[in-house]
Amino acid sequence: VHSRSLEGRPGQRLLRKIARNTGCDPRAALDMTPEYVKAVLEPRGMLDRPILFITDHQRPEILENLLADPDIGPNIRLI
């Protein structure tokens, strides 16, 4: 999991463009909620695997929320 902030309007424009082109949620990858991470991992049978977490440390609440989740928290490994 790579948690990175895309600051300001340039980052927001980039996310809107990607969302338009892919049909993906423009905020989900930025907010990185436990539900989002589980929705990505569960269909691949990876919920019980280690989750490597890479971050720019600008939104520490993302890591805190992932670590607090009973399903994936024990598998988080901060890089």
Side-chain angles (χ1 to χ4, degrees), residues 5-51:
S5 297
L6 296 175
E7 296 86 2
R9 290 191 177 150
Q12 293 169 359
R13 276 195 307 272
L14 174 63
L15 287 178
R16 280 194 303 272
K17 180 179 178 181
I18 292 170
R20 275 195 311 272
N21 291 336
T22 64
C24 292
D25 184 302
R27 294 277 331 161
L30 279 181
D31 294 337
M32 202 66 66
T33 65
E35 292 75 22
Y36 172 77
V37 173
K38 289 189 277 189
V40 172
L41 298 178
E42 188 172 28
R44 292 160 180 80
M46 297 178 68
L47 279 181
D48 62 343
R49 307 291 300 183
I51 300 168

